[in-house]
Amino acid sequence: MILIAAAWIGLLLLGGGLALDRVLTNAITRNFDDSLNYVLTAMVASAEIGPAGEVLLNRPLGDQRFLEPNSGLYYQISGQGFEHFRSRSLWDRSLQVRGRHADVDVHIYDTKEFRDEPLRVLERDVTLPGSPVRWRFQVAQSRAALDEQIDVLRRTLVRSFALLGLGLIVLAALQTYYGLLPLRRVRAAIAKMRSGLATRVDEPLPDELTPMVEELNGLIEHNEKQAEEARRHAGNLAHALKTPLTVIMNAATANAPDLPDTVCREATTMRRQVDHHLARARAVGRRGHAHSRAQVWPSLESVERAVGRLYPDVRIDVSGPKTLFVHMERQDLDELLGNLIENAAKYGGGSVFVTVSGEAGFVEFLVEDDGTGIPEEERQRIFDRGARLDTTKPGTGLGLAIVRDVAEIYGGTVSLEESEDLGGLLVRLRLPAAAEPEPPKPTGRSTANQRRQTT
């Protein structure tokens, strides 16, 4: 940032300095030329023709330098066939007369015809009354004074702009240093967190960095929650597997006659616990995907086909809009809907109604069956792991527990009610709604490919 600022400041000051030098140099030179032009005009106004046809000045010019030899200010009047009428300051020298052009207007040029004395010359051709000769009036002055003024101007500009550029670069460096100083404090705070001396970035910071620090603290809190959930799941799974393993080891040690049955029963229990915790772990891991979304209707159709093959005698009716999306992974949505619809088909009387609707940022699923339902006092207990009211049908008793856990992980809810239409159980599942993704914009290449395929 400092190097870029220095380069940009240097470029701007260089361009501005060159432009300012050009403007001021032209102004000084124009002022120098105006003073010479004033003398030239005075010479033309005071010139007259003498008795022999020569040119004379009826009054002397006011500047005393014309009378001092080699003073640096000179004039000369030249005409064909006549001697040059020169100022005494020229002494034994003469100004060159270039006869290849006619200077009706004032002609200005620089010349080095005098050794070690560059001149600035103004000349003009004039025809005086009473004389057929075209007279050339010339005024010349040494460029030393002009060049000295320009040199002083340029030295002043270079020093001023160099000082200004240095000040701006130092200011930009200080601004960059102190502007980025809060980031160094954030870096130090993160180092403290990594070393275990702190858990959050709590230092007061400028308003510009507050959103970043809040997001950073939110990310840390999210990771801590996920780590805590992972530890809790691992502990719960270890605790759940400890009892079945103890039973199997005791039966094996005692050479119990029912050892095979005990192993199968406890292995089923362990598998049930493993499936439950794996489902929760998958949901927790996928929850971090901010752009996860699943379309509701394809998932419903897929689950309906799968459950229909398992229970061909059950009629499943699905209704609702087909453009709804939920904010979760498709695999988790299939698992939730599969558990609910399969339970309704398994424990119902042969009819299952599934109604989908969207409201207030949520997508609501109503799964109804025509079975015996669940008493109100048992509806809370049925969500416990392994709880089953009907033990005559196969199952693990984890379906509703998995549905509740996964729905809560994604910010949803699930509740049990009584179906008014079918008389059985009604499960109300609410999941966060997701916006419908925008269709991809067609590109020229894809359009061309489509035309070729159509052809």
Side-chain angles (χ1 to χ4, degrees):
M1 292 174 64
I2 297 174
L3 290 177
I4 292 175
W8 184 241
I9 289 172
L11 181 63
L12 291 180
L13 290 181
L14 177 62
L18 292 176
L20 188 59
D21 173 77
R22 184 180 182 88
V23 171
L24 295 179
T25 300
N26 290 339
I28 294 174
T29 304
R30 187 165 54 250
N31 185 51
F32 187 84
D33 294 340
D34 288 343
S35 64
L36 292 180
N37 190 34
Y38 175 79
V39 175
L40 182 63
T41 303
M43 287 176 56
V44 174
S46 60
E48 61 181 22
I49 302 301
E54 76 279 13
V55 68
L56 299 173
L57 294 179
N58 56 22
R59 61 179 181 273
L61 298 180
D63 198 324
Q64 293 298 317
R65 287 179 294 177
F66 289 120
L67 302 177
E68 300 175 5
N70 302 320
S71 64
L73 182 61
Y74 317 102
Y75 72 79
Q76 177 177 294
I77 304 175
S78 306
Q80 188 174 6
F82 295 89
E83 292 185 1
H84 299 317
F85 183 76
R86 301 172 299 173
S87 63
R88 292 186 61 184
S89 57
L90 282 172
W91 197 245
D92 57 350
R93 297 177 297 180
S94 300
L95 298 177
Q96 292 182 359
V97 180
R98 303 174 184 180
R100 296 184 179 180
H101 59 85
D103 296 323
V104 179
D105 297 325
V106 177
H107 178 215
I108 304 173
Y109 61 91
D110 295 320
T111 179
K112 295 183 178 180
E113 56 191 84
F114 290 175
R115 181 178 299 177
D116 300 330
E117 189 179 16
L119 299 177
R120 183 82 168 168
V121 180
L122 271 72
E123 62 183 23
R124 180 182 178 186
D125 290 347
V126 178
T127 301
L128 297 176
S131 175
V133 179
R134 181 183 292 270
W135 301 94
R136 175 160 295 180
F137 290 75
Q138 293 176 301
V139 178
Q141 185 174 350
S142 174
R143 282 189 58 96
L146 176 62
D147 293 338
E148 183 179 358
Q149 293 181 27
I150 293 177
D151 290 341
V152 171
L153 169 67
R154 287 177 175 171
R155 286 197 302 269
T156 304
L157 283 178
V158 169
R159 292 172 183 173
S160 301
F161 275 65
L163 184 61
L164 177 61
L166 180 61
L168 290 175
I169 293 173
V170 171
L171 181 62
L174 292 176
Q175 182 179 5
T176 301
Y177 177 79
Y178 286 104
L180 297 180
L181 190 59
L183 291 179
R184 296 184 180 90
R185 292 160 55 190
V186 173
R187 176 185 177 185
I190 294 176
K192 288 183 179 179
M193 289 190 296
R194 186 175 59 181
S195 61
L197 300 178
T199 58
R200 296 289 187 276
V201 180
D202 298 327
E203 295 187 11
L205 295 170
D207 294 339
E208 292 80 4
L209 294 182
T210 300
M212 183 193 72
V213 173
E214 290 177 352
E215 292 294 333
L216 177 61
N217 288 334
L219 176 62
I220 295 172
E221 183 178 358
H222 173 74
N223 290 339
E224 288 179 350
K225 286 182 178 179
Q226 284 197 326
E228 180 62 29
E229 288 180 357
R231 286 193 295 267
R232 186 171 64 252
H233 295 334
N236 291 340
L237 180 59
H239 181 74
L241 297 180
K242 182 178 180 180
T243 300
L245 288 174
T246 302
V247 172
I248 293 175
M249 290 180 62
N250 291 339
T253 303
N255 293 323
D258 59 343
L259 178 60
D261 297 334
T262 302
V263 171
C264 292
R265 183 181 68 251
E266 299 302 329
T268 302
T269 302
M270 289 190 291
R271 185 185 66 181
R272 185 169 64 235
Q273 296 294 339
V274 169
D275 291 342
H276 173 260
H277 287 283
L278 284 179
R280 283 185 59 90
R282 286 196 301 268
V284 170
R286 297 183 188 124
R287 182 181 57 186
H289 296 279
H291 300 288
S292 61
R293 62 164 54 89
Q295 192 171 0
V296 171
W297 196 259
S299 181
L300 279 173
E301 290 181 335
S302 175
V303 172
E304 180 188 5
R305 287 193 298 269
V307 176
R309 285 193 293 267
L310 291 176
Y311 302 94
D313 297 332
V314 177
R315 188 188 68 176
I316 303 175
D317 295 329
V318 181
S319 64
K322 299 183 178 181
T323 58
L324 296 177
F325 286 79
V326 292
H327 184 61
M328 68 187 313
E329 292 291 334
R330 168 68 183 272
Q331 184 176 352
D332 294 328
L333 179 61
D334 291 345
E335 187 168 5
L336 296 185
L337 296 178
N339 278 314
L340 294 181
I341 297 176
E342 182 182 0
N343 283 345
K346 182 190 302 183
Y347 298 107
S351 297
V352 176
F353 287 175
V354 181
T355 307
V356 187
S357 61
E359 57 178 21
F362 284 87
V363 176
E364 188 173 72
F365 301 83
L366 300 180
V367 181
E368 305 175 67
D369 63 63
D370 56 350
T372 58
I374 298 178
E376 186 174 354
E377 61 273 10
E378 299 288 342
R379 290 174 186 172
Q380 186 61 35
R381 187 179 68 86
I382 198 64
F383 284 107
D384 296 337
R385 293 190 295 271
R388 299 174 61 199
L389 299 182
D390 186 358
T391 58
T392 61
K393 296 182 180 181
T396 62
L398 289 173
L400 288 179
I402 292 176
V403 170
R404 181 196 60 186
D405 292 344
V406 175
E408 289 179 352
I409 288 173
Y410 281 102
T413 60
V414 60
S415 60
L416 304 182
E417 304 173 13
E418 182 178 354
S419 174
E420 297 180 358
D421 296 332
L422 300 182
L425 180 66
L426 182 147
V427 181
R428 187 184 302 272
L429 174 65
R430 289 169 58 86
L431 297 175
E436 183 177 354
E438 297 181 359
K441 296 182 180 180
T443 60
R445 180 176 298 180
S446 61
T447 305
N449 292 338
Q450 292 175 1
R451 288 199 297 266
R452 286 196 295 269
Q453 292 174 2
T454 304
T455 305

